[in-house]
Every structure is written in C-alpha cells, then in structure tokens.
Amino acid sequence: DTAVSQTPKYLVTQMGNDKSIKCEQNLGHDTMYWYKQDSKKFLKIMFSYNNKELIINETVPNRFSPKSPDKAHLNLHINSLELGDSAVYFCASSQLRGNSPLHFGNGTRLTVT
Amino acid sequence: GIQVEQSPPDLILQEGANSTLRCNFSDSVNNLQWFHQNPWGQLINLFYIPSGTKQNGRLSATTVATERYSLLYISSSQTTDSGVYFCAVSSYLQGGSEKLVFGKGTKLTVNP
C-alpha cells in the first residue's frame, strides 16, 4: 500500500548510458514532481506535471526528459549520463491548490561511474 | 526567487531534551511544509503549515507568516528523531503552491 513508489532504488551505470526511473502514486493526486538531492543534501525541483501537463521545468539539461502517461505515473529518462548526474532522485506527489502536503517516494540513488 | 534559511545547521542533543528549529523566509508564502529525512534517506512530511500552530505527538510547529518565520519544536527527543529536518516554502510571487523551495536543512543527532 505504498503511496509513492519509485524504481529502481539503486542505479549504477557508466557515463554515456541512458537510463530511466519510474514513479507511481496511488494517492489520487493530480500533480507529480521530480526532485534532485545532491551530495550536500540540497533538494531542488526539476519538473512538475499536473494531469499529464508539464507545469514546471527548471533549468535542467535537455538530456533529462520526463514523461507522464497518466496522472498516476511520472517517469524520468536520462540520456548520455554524466558523472555530475550522480545524486538521489525523488519522485513526489500532491494535490495542486488543495492545501495538500507533498508526499515523497523513497528515492533512487543514481551513481554514474 | 524566495530565500529559505534554516538554523541551526547542526544540532546534537541527549535523549529526552527539547529543541527548536527555525526557518526564515524572504517573501510572503502560500505554502510552508516541514519534512524529516531519516538516516535511511526517506523524506517524511511532518506538517503543512503556512500559518498558525499544529501539533502531532511530541512535534509541533508554528508559522508566523507576517514575520516570515516558522518554528519546529521537538519535545522529549528520541534517537529515532535523528536525521535532517527541512523547511520548504512557495511564494505568492511564484503564482502557485506547486514549486516548493527547500532550505538547506538542520541535521539533528540525538544521542542515547
């Protein structure tokens, strides 16, 4: 009965590879997010989708491409991985304009070697 | 954009002690939340509190929006309270509540 689930939990890959992280929420929320947490624990928003529509796109390299097939799913695809992409990526969801708390998944630790 | 400052950056307590964590922000906000990141990396939402006071067990939070700060109180701390506490806000100026900006966190260590 996990509310926000993301897979995989760990991802180790080499520079130049392409990888995807999947996220699903069963809270009935209409908005989903991707956050990046760097080695200093700083959390920064990357993308947000509301009902499958992109509403936030921070200054993220275009090697990162989110895809939302429906409002319960938000995936993140990363092309041509670089060493600097190593971080923990968190998926989250909330109900937009509903005074709704943000709920996070457990994170995906990406290590690029 | 809106700035969020948390203090102290690090805090070490003995089990049973009380503590207060502070979050200052630079603009009017329409959304303020507190999160706990446990030592396993999980981010848990503690409070949604753009204004007023809320309590949940040993934890309580107060936001004084007019003075642009929020406080998180932890009473009778336990070792399981260890981790990093984040404050996150979004501003009316950003046009919505969907873009939370996080502070750098307060790392709390509770020793037995």
Side-chain angles (χ1 to χ4, degrees):
Chain A
D1 60 345
T2 304
V4 182
S5 59
Q6 54 183 107
T7 56
K9 186 172 174 62
Y10 300 99
L11 193 48
V12 181
T13 188
Q14 291 183 326
M15 285 174 54
N17 285 348
D18 304 339
K19 289 294 178 186
S20 293
I21 307 172
K22 294 186 176 182
C23 180
E24 175 181 2
Q25 57 96 3
N26 63 5
L27 295 167
H29 289 158
D30 62 1
T31 305
M32 296 184 72
Y33 312 78
W34 281 109
Y35 279 82
K36 179 180 180 180
Q37 186 172 44
D38 63 22
S39 58
K40 295 184 179 180
K41 298 282 193 183
F42 186 60
L43 274 158
K44 193 172 190 305
I45 192 168
M46 300 172 67
F47 302 103
S48 175
Y49 272 75
N50 174 251
N51 284 322
K52 303 194 296 176
E53 179 183 347
L54 182 67
I55 57 172
I56 295 175
N57 185 349
E58 290 296 283
T59 50
V60 177
N62 57 16
R63 298 180 295 104
F64 290 78
S65 54
K67 282 190 172 49
S68 181
D70 56 59
K71 71 175 189 177
H73 296 82
L74 179 62
N75 304 322
L76 183 65
H77 188 76
I78 315 170
N79 289 327
S80 304
L81 279 155
E82 300 177 357
L83 292 176
D85 297 332
S86 295
V88 181
Y89 292 85
F90 285 95
C91 177
S93 73
S94 71
Q95 189 67 20
L96 194 64
R97 287 183 258 284
N99 296 333
S100 166
L102 189 66
H103 292 267
F104 281 96
N106 286 336
T108 295
R109 181 175 293 278
L110 172 65
T111 303
V112 182
T113 62
Chain B
I2 192 167
Q3 305 297 314
V4 183
E5 289 187 12
Q6 292 187 241
S7 60
D10 294 279
L11 186 58
I12 301 175
L13 301 174
Q14 286 301 120
E15 205 166 20
N18 302 328
S19 62
T20 301
L21 283 57
R22 188 176 180 102
C23 172
N24 291 336
F25 41 92
S26 58
D27 286 311
S28 299
V29 298
N30 58 1
N31 187 342
L32 187 147
Q33 302 187 36
W34 282 97
F35 298 86
H36 174 221
Q37 186 166 36
N38 64 26
W40 296 271
Q42 294 174 313
L43 278 159
I44 308 298
N45 191 296
L46 299 176
F47 294 103
Y48 173 91
I49 187 167
S51 63
T53 297
K54 289 187 177 179
Q55 180 153 7
N56 184 0
R58 295 181 297 102
L59 272 59
S60 64
T62 294
T63 298
V64 184
T66 53
E67 297 187 21
R68 299 183 182 171
Y69 73 88
S70 182
L71 302 174
L72 179 69
Y73 305 96
I74 305 174
S75 63
S76 304
S77 59
Q78 301 176 358
T79 55
T80 51
D81 295 331
S82 294
V84 182
Y85 290 80
F86 291 101
C87 170
V89 304
S90 68
S91 166
Y92 290 110
L93 296 177
Q94 296 171 202
S97 62
E98 67 273 14
K99 186 177 174 182
L100 283 175
V101 175
F102 280 73
K104 292 184 178 180
T106 292
K107 183 178 180 182
L108 174 65
T109 303
V110 181
N111 292 321

